[in-house]
């Protein structure tokens, strides 16, 4: 099977990034979201990223225009589904939202279509069970920002066919990514390792071990991390961090994944990180 037409569901930061790298790899791409405003914002984000690449000499203006010509925005699920060889979902990280979407995609997509989820922590097997084609459902977890980060975790569900895995692996490579096969466990590898580190950094602040700046400095200078865990948490979104920690805690039932009370407190206060203007650091006016 050859992938020609890709549909990306969700035009936010992750979805628009996936759509961009797919179009840059030469695929015809449909980008869908629930409103014209969201799709327009996603397309504008892609155009800005491509314009920056032209300014830096990474590609020409003609190449930028060619990429944009391969992108088709829409708000109609039927339009995104009807000719898709592959659908990559990048909607909100909630199981009920994803399973409802996959149920609809299963009904509207051709029988050969592969359905992939960009979930960062939810079980692929459970998502696949909402469809009549669990053998053609797979996880494709891109890293943020998608145009920059090389890794893609590829997660097989219990029923995922070997052929589907091979196709998706080849697709990731065509997009310029490095695919890594991961088994279907909560948080996969990336967030199973990363989120407890972030959570422990939050505990260090909560327990008065050190201020956020000091925790981040220790990890940057002592462990050679490019960004401290609390700055990274602010960039990811503290609500997202909390949700993933809760997924790990519920999935494993192990107290080592218990979200720090300070993380819960910040989320309840609306201190979600950079996107809300305040998290462990202040971002007003940026």
């Amino acid at each position: 099977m050859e992938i020609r037409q890709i549909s990306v569901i969700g035009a936010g930061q992750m979805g628009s990034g996936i759509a961009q790298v797919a179009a840059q790899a030469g695929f015809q791409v449909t980008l869908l979201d629930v409103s014209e405003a969201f799709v327009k914002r996603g397309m504008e984000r892609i155009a800005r990223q491509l314009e920056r690449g032209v300014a830096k000499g990474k590609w020409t203006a003609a190449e930028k225009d060619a990429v944009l010509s391969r992108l088709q925005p829409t708000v109609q699920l039927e339009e995104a589904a009807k000719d898709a060889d592959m659908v990559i979902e990048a909607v909100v990280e909630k199981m009920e939202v994803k399973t409802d979407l996959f149920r609809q995609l299963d009904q509207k997509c051709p029988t050969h279509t592969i359905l992939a989820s960009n979930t960062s922590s939810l079980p692929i097997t459970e998502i696949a069970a909402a469809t009549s084609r669990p053998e053609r459902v797979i996880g494709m977890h891109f890293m943020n920002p998608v145009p920059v980060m090389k890794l893609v975790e590829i997660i097989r569900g219990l029923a995922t066919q070997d052929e589907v895995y091979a196709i998706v692996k080849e697709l990731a490579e065509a997009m310029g990514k490095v695919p890594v096969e991961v088994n279907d466990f909560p948080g996969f590898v990336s967030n199973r390792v990363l989120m407890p580190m972030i959570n422990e950094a939050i505990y260090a602040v909560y327990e008065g071990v050190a201020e956020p700046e000091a925790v981040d400095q220790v990890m940057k200078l002592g462990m050679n991390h490019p960004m401290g865990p609390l700055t990274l948490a602010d960039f990811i979104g503290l609500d997202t961090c909390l949700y993933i920690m809760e997924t790990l805690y519920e999935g494993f039932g192990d107290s080592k994944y218990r979200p720090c009370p300070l993380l819960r407190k910040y989320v309840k206060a609306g201190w979600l990180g950079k996107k809300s203007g305040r998290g462990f650091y202040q971002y007003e006016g940026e």
Side-chain angles (χ1 to χ4, degrees), residues 1-276:
M1 175 185 165
E2 186 180 353
I3 302 291
R4 294 189 183 89
Q5 178 71 44
I6 297 173
S7 288
V8 179
I9 313 295
Q13 190 168 3
M14 292 301 294
S16 61
I18 294 167
Q20 178 185 327
V21 297
Q24 284 181 292
F27 298 99
Q28 295 296 319
V29 181
T30 300
L31 180 61
L32 175 138
D33 214 313
V34 293
S35 75
E36 295 280 2
F38 290 165
V39 176
K40 183 182 177 186
R41 198 177 306 154
M43 291 294 292
E44 287 172 348
R45 185 184 289 114
I46 293 169
R48 283 197 306 272
Q49 288 281 348
L50 293 172
E51 198 60 58
R52 287 194 194 109
V54 173
K56 292 177 180 178
K58 291 182 178 180
W59 44 74
T60 66
E63 287 171 327
K64 177 204 76 173
D65 292 341
V67 171
L68 291 172
S69 73
R70 289 192 286 270
L71 284 158
Q72 176 64 46
T74 185
V75 293
Q76 300 296 326
L77 186 61
E78 290 79 3
E79 188 177 339
K82 64 180 181 180
D83 298 319
D85 299 311
M86 173 125 188
V87 175
I88 304 174
E89 164 273 313
V91 301
V92 65
E93 190 75 349
K94 292 185 178 178
M95 179 58 80
E96 62 272 19
V97 176
K98 291 185 187 291
T99 51
D100 180 61
L101 174 60
F102 271 71
R103 205 172 287 117
Q104 293 182 64
L105 289 169
D106 185 42
Q107 294 168 1
K108 298 177 188 298
C109 289
T111 55
H112 74 274
T113 306
I114 295 171
L115 305 179
S117 175
N118 179 54
T119 178
S120 59
S121 61
L122 298 173
I124 298 302
T125 299
E126 187 175 343
I127 294 171
T131 75
S132 62
R133 61 178 94 189
E135 72 284 353
R136 302 194 75 74
V137 177
I138 198 164
M140 204 176 183
H141 179 209
F142 290 82
M143 303 295 118
N144 190 24
V146 178
V148 175
M149 302 293 278
K150 288 289 187 183
L151 176 67
V152 176
E153 287 183 305
I154 300 182
I155 308 102
R156 297 177 190 244
L158 195 61
T160 307
Q161 290 177 338
D162 289 344
E163 177 206 10
V164 169
Y165 170 79
I167 291 167
V168 172
K169 178 175 181 286
E170 190 175 312
L171 174 68
E173 290 169 341
M175 290 180 178
K177 303 303 177 188
V178 178
V180 175
E181 184 178 1
V182 178
N183 287 324
D184 191 16
F185 283 85
F188 316 130
V189 169
S190 56
N191 282 320
R192 185 173 178 173
V193 174
L194 173 65
M195 286 301 161
M197 183 192 74
I198 287 175
N199 197 50
E200 198 62 31
I202 298 170
Y203 265 112
V205 175
Y206 177 62
E207 293 170 359
V209 177
E211 292 297 313
E213 295 85 351
V215 173
D216 279 353
Q217 280 286 73
V218 167
M219 297 306 290
K220 286 194 293 182
L221 301 181
M223 285 68 186
N224 205 28
H225 289 194
M227 183 184 293
L230 299 173
T231 301
L232 180 56
D234 275 357
F235 275 60
I236 292 168
L238 300 189
D239 52 341
T240 301
C241 292
L242 177 59
Y243 186 82
I244 295 171
M245 284 306 301
E246 287 174 334
T247 300
L248 290 168
Y249 189 37
E250 290 166 13
F252 291 110
D254 192 323
S255 61
K256 72 181 179 182
Y257 299 114
R258 181 172 66 93
C260 179
L262 184 61
L263 176 58
R264 291 192 187 278
K265 191 174 185 178
Y266 276 26
V267 171
K268 285 179 180 176
W271 295 6
L272 307 182
K274 195 171 189 299
K275 64 186 174 184
S276 70

